[in-house]
Amino acid sequence: MTTTTATHRGFWYRHPGLRLGGLLTAPMAWLVVVYLGSLGALFLTAFYQVDDFTSQVVRSFSLKNFQTLFTTSAYYQSVFRTISIALLVTILCLVIAVPLAFFMARVAPRNWRPVMIALVLTPLWASYLVKVYAWRSMLQPETGVIAWFLKPLGLDGPGYGYVGIVITLTYLWLPYMILPVYAGLTRLPDSMLDASADLGAHSGRTFRSIVIPMIFPSVVAGSIFTFSLSLGDYITAQIVGGKVTMLGNIVQQTYVTNLPFAAAVATLPVIIIVLYLLAVRKTGALESV
Amino acid sequence: MHAKRLLKATVVSASAMLLVAACGGSSGSSSSAGSAAASSGAAAEAPGGPAFAGPVGTGEGQVNILAWPGYVEDGSTDPKVDWVTQFEKDSGCKVNLKTFGTSDEAVKLMQGGGWDVVSASGDATLRLIYGDLVQPVNTDLVPSYADIFPDLKMQKFNSVDGVAYGIPHGRGANLIMWNTDKVTTPLDSWAVTFDANSPYKGAVTAYDSPIFIADAAVYLMATQPELGITDPYALDKTQFDAAMALLTQQKDLIGEYWSDYTKATQAFESGSTAVGTSWQVIANLAEADGGHVAAAKAKEGATGWSDTWMIAKDTPHINCAYKWVDYIASPSVNAQVAEWFGEAPSNAKACDLTSDKNFCTTYHAGDTEYWKDVYYWNTPTTKCLDGRTDVQCIPYSEWGTAWSALRS
């Protein structure tokens, strides 16, 4: 009995490769089959065609889908519009998140922190759709809360459209920016700030030369969330976007009638995110995330 | 050394997985290639295999239904509106419902499988039939079929070569609807939704689906007869381009497009949408909520729908499916659905059972004249549906890309 166990143990001990292989097979299956496999299938589908009548996929290779995408002005304008929305959302999240996270991590008393984190996370407890529909009623032209607030100032509300999408997405993804920035700021050693002050730097200089470089990787991590989540969104655009559409809407509109074209459109955000990650890697931020 | 070993193990497990993936992938692709081949061959002849021979036996316990909103009500929308509970009690089949907002969505859901019956409009039926997703229906097993209006039976969108593929449900026209606070004079024309000088610029709505191109074509039939459109689903290049130009002009007027009927209801109620295309059920819901709205059929004519209950090809719940299509087309239930949704019933006997005795007159159930300028949704194909052979028509897949380009 004991000897069997010993040999059994010995087997795994003598074959570390198999041991590790056994451990990694399940996660690798997830990564390779479910994740990379479906991305591969998506990319492959983008080169197929569609049967005119039944809208079923015909497996003949052609670049037609990408050609349509890059030669139809409506489509490539949509690409730029989507990128600009994602960038604006990221910048707005950053502008709101950095001061807030700084207050949470550095200014507020230590025992407030759990409460404040919980507060930052509360929007995540509600369903995505509930939040977007709430924004729909707030953004409503003329009678919505925002229009009502702006009326005394003689201004019209933003209504449904580009601005509405940016506001709603910023609200939705803000926690994903606050949390990494907050984590980065809590890791910032007090001694560095003290040293900076001792050497005569005023607070602005300390922020510029110590805080920003130290939290830069966290900001990048947060921006990956806000940027990629905005880039792929389509429901927000549908509900508060009026007639403004994003890349996701094109996918949603065409995936029934022309799946290969939808696949071609869907590969664009993937390519944009990969380019973004490559650019980020150049800055060295990914190593310390 | 350690790192090297880790790398080796990773490579081993990764390659093992790739092998599995490759095998799975190849078997998957070969089977779907097979079905693709089958379907492209099937485009010539109607597929679907033989109809159920019957008899309809004991239910299988449940039935999964895909339907337009308002067709399958169990009291959760309005406690007074409930015909599902009775069906479940009578048949022992529990109803699992999913609603869809556009025909494209219905087709996609059917392609995904798992649904037993579907209420398909004319722009989905042929795609479902030739996509090998539905089976012929043995009308002898559906007692309600006998009382269906004859002009709804064996139409080109619900039968192929004399074989019925479903049970007609009801029909209606897409209406022009307006918020009576914003639009004070009653409307009877699509002009305010298309004209560049519309007073309602920024508050117009339109249905967000490629099939809406046909609505533009219907308007062009009345306003630009020189284009020679006779069937809004059979558009050659010139006619199609004219329709798209009209829609591009309309886009300037649009506040938002809708495909989700709850969003449309809310927009009309609140007045953020003043005027646009709508369904009677949206008008009914908005009115029930106290919204100030009205709806009418436009004088230029209208697109419309004639829906068909179809049964999925490989349904494991065939008995429940037959029980459902018979139940929903039976006079009293057909009357309830028609009144709730605001459409003309398909069952002639339903007209005696509506709570409003004038209902069938109001909705022109048997009024052949009324339906003359209502163009039921259909699936455009390269071969022109109006019988022209000297030109090629724009197929639905291109309607889809044109619509998405317009919307982008």
Side-chain angles (χ1 to χ4, degrees), chain A residues 51-177:
Chain A
D51 183 276
D52 276 346
F53 180 51
T54 57
S55 294
Q56 269 166 350
V57 176
V58 177
R59 291 164 189 248
S60 61
F61 191 87
S62 116
L63 288 170
K64 207 182 113 198
N65 294 323
F66 288 99
Q67 237 162 33
T68 322
L69 195 52
F70 291 115
T71 50
T72 313
S73 70
Y75 290 134
Y76 61 72
Q77 277 171 13
S78 206
V79 175
F80 291 125
R81 188 185 312 126
T82 308
I83 295 176
S84 76
I85 288 174
L87 280 177
L88 260 177
V89 169
T90 304
I91 292 167
L92 274 175
C93 281
L94 196 62
V95 168
I96 301 170
V98 170
L100 202 63
F102 190 82
F103 177 79
M104 285 164 60
R106 290 278 143 193
V107 182
R110 198 167 264 275
N111 54 356
W112 286 17
R113 284 188 189 173
V115 179
M116 297 186 66
I117 290 181
L119 284 176
V120 166
L121 291 177
T122 40
L124 298 182
W125 299 354
S127 140
Y128 170 101
L129 274 182
V130 170
K131 289 182 281 185
V132 182
Y133 268 106
W135 275 102
R136 182 176 164 84
S137 75
M138 286 197 283
L139 287 165
Q140 189 165 300
E142 293 173 45
T143 48
V145 176
I146 294 176
W148 178 75
F149 264 118
L150 292 175
K151 208 171 239 172
L153 307 173
L155 296 170
D156 285 334
Y160 304 134
Y162 188 92
V163 179
I165 297 177
V166 171
I167 294 176
T168 310
L169 288 177
T170 304
Y171 169 81
L172 287 174
W173 311 139
L174 188 60
Y176 298 96
M177 181 63 101

Side-chain angles (χ1 to χ4, degrees), chain B residues 62-353:
Chain B
Q62 59 171 331
V63 58
N64 301 312
I65 300 178
L66 269 182
W68 287 102
Y71 278 13
V72 182
E73 292 290 336
D74 61 0
S76 54
T77 312
D78 183 333
K80 293 193 290 291
V81 181
D82 177 5
W83 46 90
V84 168
T85 311
Q86 188 62 42
F87 172 74
E88 290 180 334
K89 222 184 281 168
D90 294 351
S91 68
C93 303
K94 192 185 168 302
V95 170
N96 304 312
L97 168 72
K98 186 175 174 63
T99 59
F100 51 83
T102 63
S103 289
D104 291 344
E105 215 180 313
V107 172
K108 195 74 211 169
L109 285 163
M110 284 298 285
Q111 284 170 357
W115 302 100
D116 303 317
V117 287
V118 57
S119 68
S121 295
D123 57 334
T125 47
L126 290 182
R127 280 189 275 165
L128 293 173
I129 294 171
Y130 286 104
D132 206 13
L133 297 164
V134 290
Q135 53 175 292
V137 170
N138 185 347
T139 50
D140 295 341
L141 300 177
V142 183
S144 309
Y145 191 71
D147 304 319
I148 304 284
F149 283 109
D151 63 335
L152 287 173
K153 286 181 185 175
M154 292 296 184
Q155 294 298 301
K156 54 184 175 181
F157 49 80
N158 61 21
S159 69
V160 173
D161 299 332
V163 178
Y165 273 82
I167 307 298
H169 168 88
R171 51 183 162 178
N174 291 312
L175 304 172
I176 180 159
M177 179 159 151
W178 63 95
N179 179 303
T180 48
D181 296 334
K182 305 267 168 178
V183 183
T184 42
T185 43
L187 299 174
D188 68 342
S189 159
W190 294 114
V192 288
T193 68
F194 285 115
D195 188 24
N197 302 315
S198 169
Y200 308 111
K201 188 173 176 172
V204 175
T205 197
Y207 186 52
D208 193 2
S209 161
I211 206 69
F212 188 71
I213 296 169
D215 290 65
V218 168
Y219 184 67
L220 289 176
M221 284 166 77
T223 54
Q224 291 183 38
E226 66 276 14
L227 283 167
I229 303 174
T230 55
D231 177 344
Y233 306 99
L235 304 176
D236 62 32
K237 185 89 181 82
T238 327
Q239 297 165 340
F240 187 79
D241 288 347
M244 288 312 295
L246 182 62
L247 291 165
T248 311
Q249 173 182 316
Q250 186 195 37
K251 195 180 175 184
D252 273 346
L253 312 172
I254 296 282
E256 52 182 350
Y257 292 89
W258 69 273
S259 61
D260 170 5
Y261 80 114
T262 47
K263 188 178 103 170
T265 312
Q266 189 262 347
F268 272 111
E269 248 174 71
S270 70
S272 69
T273 289
V275 62
T277 317
S278 177
W279 299 333
Q280 186 67 46
V281 68
I282 292 175
N284 295 355
L285 284 171
E287 248 166 45
D289 277 358
H292 300 160
V293 297
K297 186 182 151 206
K299 63 177 181 211
E300 290 91 359
T303 57
W305 69 90
S306 175
D307 291 350
T308 308
W309 284 100
M310 305 183 104
I311 298 176
K313 181 157 185 258
D314 300 312
T315 170
H317 307 122
I318 187 81
N319 291 318
C320 278
Y322 266 91
K323 281 172 195 279
W324 173 262
V325 296
D326 181 47
Y327 177 79
I328 196 73
S330 63
S332 77
V333 181
N334 196 234
Q336 288 180 60
V337 184
E339 275 199 287
W340 169 249
F341 192 85
E343 64 184 342
S346 61
N347 193 314
K349 287 192 178 152
C351 288
D352 303 329
L353 297 168

Side-chain angles (χ1 to χ4, degrees), chain A residues 251-276:
Chain A
V251 175
Q252 198 232 357
Q253 274 160 11
T254 51
Y255 87 107
V256 179
T257 46
N258 196 341
L259 185 73
F261 181 74
V265 179
T267 49
L268 282 186
V270 179
I271 293 168
I272 294 168
I273 290 288
V274 169
L275 290 178
Y276 186 75

Side-chain angles (χ1 to χ4, degrees), chain A residues 178-222:
Chain A
I178 294 180
L179 288 182
V181 174
Y182 166 81
L185 281 166
T186 47
R187 282 200 303 257
L188 191 68
D190 285 333
S191 54
M192 281 198 172
L193 300 180
D194 293 343
S196 174
D198 287 349
L199 291 170
H202 53 84
S203 50
R205 179 66 201 268
T206 306
F207 189 75
R208 210 165 57 239
S209 307
I210 309 286
V211 177
I212 291 186
M214 290 291 286
I215 64 163
F216 184 69
S218 319
V219 168
V220 168

